[in-house]
Amino acid sequence: MAFKKIINDPYKAVDEMVEGIVLAHSDILKFANNNKRAVIRKDAPIKNKVGILIGGGSGHEPAFLGYVGKGLADGAAIGNVFASPSPDPIVEATKSISGGKGVVYMYGNYAGDIMNFDMAAEICEMDGIPVKTILVTDDIASAPLDKKNERRGVAGDFYVFKIAGAAAEKGFDIDEVCRLSKKANDMTISMGVALGPCSLPHTLEPSFILEDDEMEIGLGIHGEAGVRKGKIRTADEITVELMDKILDEMDGSKKVSVLVNGLGSTPLMELYIMYRKVHEILGKNSIEIHSSFIGEYVTSLEMNGASITVMKLDQEMEPLLEEETLCSMFRV
C-alpha cells in the first residue's frame, strides 16, 4: 500500500504544522516564550484562574492544539508524531499559563506522556507552581472496567478536557477542577474500529497490516492492538458491536452526549450513517441524547476508521458541557 503526503522535510513536518496553526489562528493562539512546541491562549496567563495544560504526540489533530482557547485548555505541549512532548515545552507552557492558582495537566494514559509530564511537574513545583494531573482512560478495548485506570485515552479526551476547561473558566479552585475532571473521565467511555492503517511522515510505511477485506475492533489511535480482527461488516453491524460494549458500562444512565469521531480519512457520510444507528440503539434503551458531535476530534493521521464515545450526564456535568468555548478548531 503506497502512502503519499503533502509535506516538505518529514522531520520538520510537526514544527511547520504548529507554526501554520498559530499563524492561522493568531487571534486565539501564541507560542509560550517562543517555544515552537508550546502553544498557549493569547490572553494567558489569566490571573486567579487554574491553568489547564493538555498535550501529547502530534498526528491527532485537532487534538491537542485545536482545544486551546476560552473555556477549554490554556495551553498545549506538542511532541513528535505519536510521541510525548519533552519536558521542556511542558515547563514553558506551564509557566506561561500559571495565573497563581496552580495548573492541571491532562493527557491520555500513555507511559511516555506520564514520564515527561511528571518530570515537568517536578520542575514547576520547585519554581512554586502547584501541579496536579488527570489521566484520560476512556478506551474500553484496552482494559476491563475493574482496571479502568490502565485504559488508554482516546477520543474521550474531548469530553474530559471540555469539562475541565469549563470548571476552570468558572473560577473553581484546583481541587474542584480535578474532582470534576476525574468525574468526567469516569463517565466517559469509547470504542473504535479501524479499516486501514496510517503512516508516519518519515517512513511512509503502514502502521499496521489489515487485509483488504478486514477490519479491527478496538484498535488504538497509535495502532495498538484491538480486541479482534475480522471481515468487514456493514455500518449497522459495526455500530451494534461497538455500542454493545458501551451499553455494558452505562450503569443505568439515561442521558448522554455522543461523539462519533473520524480517525483521519473517514468521510462524514460514513460517520453520520454510524450516528443514525447509535441514535436508534440509545432510543431503544430509553437513553436520551442531550448533544451530539460528529466529525474529526481525535484523529490518527490518515487512519481509516471511527470511534464512538458516550459521556454519561448528570446535573453537574450537563451545564459544564454547555459552557461557552472558543478555540481554533472547536466552538460551543
Side-chain angles (χ1 to χ4, degrees), residues 19-287:
E19 184 177 356
I21 289 173
V22 174
L23 287 170
H25 304 286
S26 58
D27 57 328
I28 296 174
L29 304 175
K30 65 182 179 181
F31 290 111
N33 197 26
N34 292 318
N35 189 309
K36 296 303 176 70
R37 295 297 183 93
V39 176
I40 62 175
R41 287 172 59 166
K42 193 162 187 177
D43 56 355
I46 301 171
K47 189 176 181 181
N48 294 323
K49 175 188 174 300
V50 173
I52 304 295
L53 181 63
I54 61 177
S58 56
H60 302 302
E61 293 73 34
F64 297 90
L65 294 176
Y67 299 146
V68 176
K70 180 181 178 181
L72 231 154
D74 295 277
I78 303 302
N80 290 328
V81 176
F82 297 174
S84 169
S86 67
D88 179 58
I90 302 171
V91 170
E92 289 290 358
T94 304
K95 292 180 177 179
S96 297
I97 68 172
S98 175
K101 294 294 185 180
V103 173
V104 179
Y105 289 171
M106 307 191 72
Y107 50 90
N109 184 27
Y110 299 97
D113 291 305
I114 293 170
M115 179 178 69
N116 288 340
F117 274 91
D118 282 355
M119 288 173 62
E122 290 179 8
I123 294 169
C124 292
E125 286 173 344
M126 286 190 292
D127 287 341
I129 302 174
V131 174
K132 295 196 174 187
T133 297
I134 299 293
L135 299 180
V136 182
T137 58
D138 60 303
D139 185 10
I140 291 175
S142 54
L145 181 59
D146 61 354
K147 295 182 179 179
K148 182 175 171 61
N149 64 327
E150 298 178 11
R151 287 178 171 175
R152 301 180 293 238
V154 287
D157 283 350
F158 166 74
Y159 283 121
V160 183
F161 296 169
K162 177 68 179 72
I163 296 300
E169 201 76 39
K170 291 176 75 68
F172 297 158
D173 66 24
I174 193 167
D175 289 333
E176 183 66 355
V177 170
C178 286
R179 182 188 72 81
L180 291 165
S181 303
K182 186 178 185 305
K183 180 176 177 179
N185 180 64
D186 290 341
M187 297 176 76
T188 302
I189 44 182
S190 300
M191 191 77 173
V193 60
L195 306 184
C198 61
S199 67
L200 302 184
H202 59 283
T203 67
L204 297 182
E205 295 293 331
S207 54
F208 56 87
I209 301 297
L210 283 176
E211 298 301 326
D212 290 344
D213 61 348
E214 278 188 325
M215 65 178 187
E216 185 160 0
I217 296 290
L219 193 97
I221 57 174
H222 307 108
E224 301 96 336
V227 295
R228 77 169 186 87
K229 288 183 180 181
K231 300 295 183 182
I232 292 178
R233 302 170 72 186
T234 67
D236 283 358
E237 289 170 330
I238 291 170
T239 304
V240 166
E241 182 168 355
L242 300 181
M243 287 301 297
D244 281 348
K245 300 292 186 184
I246 289 171
L247 288 170
D248 285 344
E249 298 192 15
M250 285 301 296
D251 299 328
S253 298
K254 291 301 179 182
K255 183 182 285 191
V256 299
S257 181
V258 174
L259 166 62
V260 179
N261 172 63
L263 293 177
S265 68
T266 308
L268 279 170
M269 174 189 287
E270 298 172 25
L271 300 181
Y272 277 105
I273 290 171
M274 291 181 71
Y275 177 76
R276 169 183 169 273
K277 191 63 176 179
V278 171
H279 189 280
E280 176 189 313
I281 291 168
L282 291 174
K284 287 181 177 178
N285 285 274
S286 301
I287 299 172

